[in-house]
Amino acid sequence: MKFFVDTADLQEIRDLTATGLLDGVTTNPSLVAKTGRNFLELVAEICKEVDGPVSAEVAATDFETMWAEGCKLAAISPRIAVKVPLTPAGLKVCKGLSANGTMVNVTLCFSAAQAILAAKAGAAFVSPFVGRLDDVGTDGMGLIADICQIYSRYPTFTTQVLVASVRHPMHLVTAAKLGAHVATMPPAVIRLLFGHPLTDLGLARFVADWEKTGQTILP
Ligand code: E4P
């Protein structure tokens, strides 16, 4: 399973890249707005920090402008996955860019029917937003189960399920049980994955007991 970080904060990306566990980055207009940075410059810098796909979202909603924006974003780096909304125009852009060899991440997916459309449009990734579904009293992880089941029935569907709007470690664990290909998580959620009180307690005991031996492993 691949781990992407859902942030446009360069320092967070650098820190998490240092763990060796990061496979890519997703951004969106809200995350970019928080940084106050120039979008194109920021995305180019992110691409230099990470080895895997970097999702960069178009700003327009009409086909022509989205297409032009997508081509411009794709020209920044072969690592760019152009992010388009799950609309008829977005899927048309997805089909064209994918046919040209550009990775496309179809975002704002909230139903299995939409995920089927994204796969048919040749998306490299589809992003179902589990947290936002939970927020409105709908089972976000149920949607992931449905999409994984449907995609597994059609070997010609090569779209990867990118679980988005992840709010806590159990979203990630459930996504992994279901066989989702990728989860994109805010930095704070990735950090939570490492923690367990018994790990901290156990380590403190081992350190204390080792000191009692009076030994060192290294000279
Ligand atoms: C995914 O690509 C989105 O950027 C993201 O996961 C949205 O998450 P949110 O619902 O926490 O804003």
Side-chain angles (χ1 to χ4, degrees):
M1 184 183 207
K2 291 178 203 141
F3 280 12
F4 291 178
V5 64
D6 195 31
T7 186
D9 183 320
L10 210 48
Q11 193 51 53
E12 292 276 28
I13 292 167
R14 287 192 185 115
D15 291 348
L16 287 164
T17 300
T19 66
L21 299 172
L22 198 63
D23 302 298
V25 175
T26 53
T27 66
N28 65 37
S30 309
L31 295 170
V32 172
K34 274 193 212 164
T35 69
R37 294 278 319 269
N38 174 283
F39 176 44
L40 296 177
E41 286 172 13
L42 178 61
V43 164
E45 285 176 43
I46 294 174
C47 286
K48 287 185 193 140
E49 298 291 336
V50 192
D51 259 348
V54 174
S55 289
E57 190 157 341
V58 296
T61 54
D62 65 287
F63 171 77
E64 283 78 15
T65 322
M66 257 197 278
W67 175 261
E69 289 177 349
C71 292
K72 188 165 179 175
L73 291 171
I76 293 172
S77 161
R79 289 215 197 93
I80 290 285
V82 175
K83 219 169 168 188
V84 299
L86 210 155
T87 60
L91 291 176
K92 200 170 156 190
V93 172
C94 173
K95 188 150 192 188
L97 288 177
S98 303
N100 290 347
T102 294
M103 285 185 286
V104 178
N105 176 357
V106 176
T107 190
L108 294 169
C109 172
F110 293 96
S111 77
Q114 290 180 318
I116 293 169
L117 294 177
K120 284 186 67 66
F125 305 102
V126 66
S127 292
F129 280 34
V130 295
R132 292 193 197 184
L133 279 170
D134 291 353
D135 289 345
V136 296
T138 305
D139 179 13
M141 295 315 303
L143 174 59
I144 302 303
D146 284 348
I147 298 172
C148 288
Q149 186 193 13
I150 292 165
Y151 280 13
S152 71
R153 289 180 180 261
Y154 294 92
T156 53
F157 284 179
T158 54
T159 304
Q160 296 189 39
V161 181
L162 197 172
V163 181
S165 190
V166 167
R167 299 275 163 80
H168 48 71
M170 284 315 292
H171 272 154
L172 181 270
V173 171
T174 309
K177 280 184 180 173
L178 292 169
H181 306 88
V182 193
T184 189
M185 296 166 275
V189 173
I190 296 182
R191 291 201 186 92
L192 282 175
L193 301 177
F194 288 90
H196 196 287
L198 290 179
T199 304
D200 299 340
L201 188 63
L203 185 58
R205 270 196 206 145
F206 285 153
V207 168
D209 288 342
W210 176 251
E211 274 170 14
K212 286 181 207 158
T213 71
Q215 300 178 51
T216 58
I217 294 173
L218 297 177

